[in-house]
Amino acid sequence: MTQHVTDTVAHEAPAFASPRREWWRDAVIYQVYPRSFADSDGDGIGDLPGIRAGLPYLKELGVDAVWLSPFYASPQADGGYDVADYRAVDPMFGTLTDAYDLVRDAHALGLRIIVDLVPNHCSDQHEWFKQALREGPGSPLRDRFHFRPGKGENGELPPNDWESIFGGPAWTRVAEPDGTPGEWYLHLFAPEQPDFNWDHPAVHDEFRSILRFWLDLGVDGFRVDVAHGLVKAPGLPDVGHDEQVKLLGTRPVPYFDQDGVHDIYRGWRRILDEYGGERVAVAEAWTPTVERSALYLRPDELHQAFNFDYLGTGWDPAGLREVIDRSLRAVNAVHAPATWVLSNHDVVRHATRLAEGDPERGLRRARAATLLMLGLPGSAYIYQGEELGLPEVVDLPDEVRQDPAFFRTTGQDGTRDGCRVPIPWSGQVPPFGFGPVEGGPSWLPQPAEWKDLTVEAQKGDAASTLEFYRRALAVRREHPALGAGRQITWLDAPEGVLAFRRDSDRGSFVCTVNFAAEPVTLATPGTLLLAGAEVRPGAGETVLPGECAVWWAA
């Protein structure tokens, strides 16, 4: 079902009015979850035309690039991360021409487009896998996946002790064409997501072709899903313990972070470098340490990797200082930029995660955490809706949930639906402008109280979270000491306060963050640029409100 763009030609390197060399070293990248951004046709599901219509909003917000979660043809067993055809747009999202038009419009606005790539696994509806099942044991197509005979007298036990990230065995037994129980196949995620066998050359060839297909269409790069998971240890040995394996764990496992992945990414980097416009690749690499993640960023491999250690650190000044230092040391060793992120489509939104049960506290801390993140050297990621201060939706009815992990575990704990609720744009009733019809459908229901958090309600309100983000991104772009860089200088500060300085040839910058609930007094470090709450700088000293961050020109 591979689609073709009609009446278009492949993009040349995107030309921007003010090209920045190695733009990705200081970029602010906005993640769009396509089902939940904007619905253009009223079916309750976001789509590519909806995203295209929202590009001016993202330009006005002040981001540099937009990362799109999967919009490929998919049965949607795992929110599109089960891909049936890597060269086709799922009809629920539009057409390949819609994708081309979106990229074209983004470039006209000076925005870059990064698309998700899912190379660890595909859908069980992928043509390779369907043919492998039809042809039965011995099929050459089965060699492109991990099919194995089971253990036990009649092969009734899985080939090894690996577990799915979503819970339960990482193996499913198939019924062979004659109806008899047969081989087992590996799926580190849902059973509908069989893992590719990256020892097979056809898999390498296919993904090199997929890369070129989207690069030719004009995308500026790829976010590589489960970048650490492609290569499995030879022989698929047992893990050897019964602890449920998590994406971010400290114990090595034979199916994550194997050294062989690096040869794959060296080959991909050569393809990216063939194209003009500085195309990039970003690793979703859940590794035990930031040092291991940095190995994906050596000069001949990928450009960025998500900093999950930072995302996973709580409201803890000592813990944050440690992870910031370790992150900068690790990426500096391989001459790569650091990345910083607070929320995404897989985790509880940070306005709720930091709240400890108090929504007002959560929003205060979220603003402070945002200024800390955007003040650090490197690149930053914003998840759709965090600029509106959206909280996690924690009370979704069971009957509307769609996260496969919800159905394989104990329910609400650990599900990802709460951060994927469609964002509110305007109006007083759901779906708040998400779709074209007032009171129309949305694939997940929005809380009624979101009427006060819509883009329409916040736009122009100087006290709103939206205007706070716009000011922060504008200052970050304009101040010479912000953006790309390799280091910070920690400053002496009262207990519970983090303070650091960044210097450039054209000016200096200081960030102060009070993690305590009570105000603290500190020496005024410069001229106020931006604060998460009302601050009145003094000539010699300034009172820093509780749970507040401040930017200063020093």
Side-chain angles (χ1 to χ4, degrees):
M1 82 181 269
T2 297
Q3 301 165 347
H4 301 280
V5 179
T6 58
D7 301 325
T8 60
V9 295
H11 274 282
E12 298 177 355
F16 297 104
S18 301
R20 306 202 315 272
R21 186 174 180 273
E22 296 188 331
W23 63 272
W24 39 274
R25 288 188 174 272
D26 67 350
V28 176
I29 300 170
Y30 185 98
Q31 181 190 357
V32 165
Y33 193 70
R35 288 171 69 103
S36 301
F37 187 74
D39 167 21
S40 70
D41 57 11
D43 65 356
I45 299 173
D47 46 42
L48 296 184
I51 299 169
R52 184 183 174 197
L55 290 174
Y57 164 78
L58 298 179
K59 175 65 175 179
E60 187 177 359
L61 182 63
V63 301
D64 301 292
V66 181
W67 153 34
L68 304 178
S69 292
F71 51 80
Y72 307 112
S74 166
Q76 302 294 318
D78 182 24
Y81 285 92
D82 51 318
V83 180
D85 188 340
Y86 289 85
R87 298 176 183 83
V89 173
D90 194 284
M92 75 165 60
F93 298 124
T95 67
L96 198 58
T97 299
D98 290 326
Y100 174 88
D101 290 341
L102 191 159
V103 172
R104 180 199 63 194
D105 286 3
H107 288 171
L109 290 168
L111 297 170
R112 299 175 189 265
I113 295 292
I114 295 171
V115 298
D116 241 307
L117 187 67
V118 189
N120 179 73
H121 49 262
C122 63
S123 167
D124 61 358
Q125 298 305 301
H126 190 284
E127 191 55 44
W128 283 4
F129 192 76
K130 291 196 296 182
Q131 184 175 344
L133 293 182
R134 288 195 302 268
E135 294 180 354
S139 165
L141 269 296
R142 291 202 175 190
D143 293 338
R144 301 180 185 186
F145 302 92
H146 294 278
F147 278 88
R148 295 289 187 276
K151 293 182 178 180
E153 183 177 352
N154 298 303
E156 70 275 11
L157 300 176
N160 65 23
D161 66 356
W162 294 6
E163 289 186 310
S164 164
I165 296 301
F166 291 158
W171 296 90
T172 290
R173 196 175 193 184
V174 304
E176 300 300 355
D178 63 2
T180 60
E183 294 182 314
W184 298 70
Y185 69 89
L186 176 67
H187 53 85
L188 291 180
F189 294 85
E192 297 88 351
Q193 295 170 289
D195 278 41
F196 286 114
N197 175 14
W198 277 86
D199 290 334
H200 198 293
V203 177
H204 289 258
D205 290 343
E206 173 68 355
F207 274 90
R208 284 191 289 263
S209 173
I210 292 167
L211 288 173
R212 292 185 185 280
F213 178 88
W214 290 101
L215 291 169
D216 288 342
L217 187 133
V219 304
D220 300 284
F222 303 91
R223 176 265 192 184
V224 184
D225 184 64
V226 195
H228 58 300
L230 280 58
V231 173
K232 279 67 174 177
L236 309 186
D238 284 346
V239 172
H241 61 77
D242 58 4
E243 176 187 349
Q244 172 64 46
V245 177
K246 300 178 180 179
L247 272 175
L248 185 57
T250 58
R251 302 177 69 168
V253 290
Y255 48 79
F256 280 162
D257 196 31
Q258 301 294 303
D259 289 340
V261 298
H262 299 288
D263 285 338
I264 296 170
Y265 298 133
R266 291 186 184 99
W268 289 12
R269 179 60 178 263
R270 289 192 291 272
I271 292 173
L272 291 165
D273 287 347
E274 291 175 15
Y275 287 78
E278 294 191 306
R279 318 294 178 97
V280 302
V282 182
E284 184 207 28
W286 297 84
T287 68
T289 66
V290 292
E291 290 78 14
R292 288 292 300 183
S293 294
L295 296 179
Y296 292 74
L297 308 179
R298 286 172 287 196
D300 60 345
E301 295 191 42
L302 306 181
H303 299 77
Q304 293 183 347
F306 290 118
N307 191 338
F308 293 113
D309 280 0
Y310 184 78
L311 184 152
T313 303
W315 187 252
D316 173 15
L320 285 166
R321 177 167 175 165
E322 179 184 3
V323 76
I324 290 167
D325 284 341
R326 287 180 51 233
S327 299
L328 291 174
R329 283 197 302 269
V331 297
N332 286 341
V334 293
H335 307 287
T339 65
W340 315 101
V341 61
L342 293 168
S343 287
N344 63 34
H345 65 293
D346 283 333
V347 302
V348 174
R349 287 185 177 274
H350 63 276
T352 296
R353 203 171 66 242
L354 301 176
E356 298 180 359
D358 181 346
E360 292 184 4
R361 170 186 288 166
L363 187 56
R364 287 196 306 271
R365 289 181 172 182
R367 290 192 181 199
T370 297
L371 287 188
L372 172 60
M373 174 184 78
L374 293 176
L376 293 168
S379 180
Y381 284 78
I382 294 173
Y383 178 51
Q384 65 177 38
E386 72 174 76
E387 79 280 8
L388 303 176
L390 296 187
E392 185 83 355
V393 180
V394 297
D395 57 354
L396 287 169
D398 289 355
E399 60 268 21
V400 306
R401 291 188 179 276
Q402 300 191 29
D403 183 355
F406 174 78
F407 301 101
R408 303 193 75 191
T409 60
T410 57
Q412 186 143 321
D413 289 342
T415 90
R416 298 169 296 174
D417 292 316
C419 64
R420 299 178 178 183
V421 173
I423 64 174
W425 291 91
S426 61
Q428 297 294 303
V429 297
F432 300 118
F434 169 66
V437 179
E438 183 175 348
S442 65
W443 73 281
L444 287 173
Q446 302 151 308
E449 57 268 24
W450 278 15
K451 64 183 177 60
D452 298 323
L453 299 178
T454 66
V455 173
E456 180 183 62
Q458 296 194 48
K459 190 173 183 179
D461 178 358
S464 71
T465 303
L466 174 60
E467 296 299 341
F468 167 77
Y469 266 75
R470 287 177 173 171
R471 291 194 303 273
L473 294 177
V475 173
R476 188 182 188 273
R477 183 181 294 274
E478 294 164 2
H479 197 285
L482 285 170
R486 293 174 56 87
Q487 64 182 16
I488 61 176
T489 301
W490 293 108
L491 305 176
D492 291 336
E495 184 177 354
V497 175
L498 287 183
F500 64 85
R501 181 184 182 99
R502 297 182 59 187
D503 297 299
S504 76
D505 294 339
R506 296 184 292 122
S508 298
F509 163 86
V510 170
C511 179
T512 55
V513 188
N514 181 11
F515 287 81
E518 300 301 322
V520 297
T521 301
L522 70 165
T524 303
T527 302
L528 178 69
L529 290 171
L530 183 62
E534 184 177 357
V535 174
R536 297 179 179 178
E541 293 183 330
T542 295
V543 176
L544 191 63
E547 300 174 326
C548 176
V550 184
W551 283 359
W552 310 86

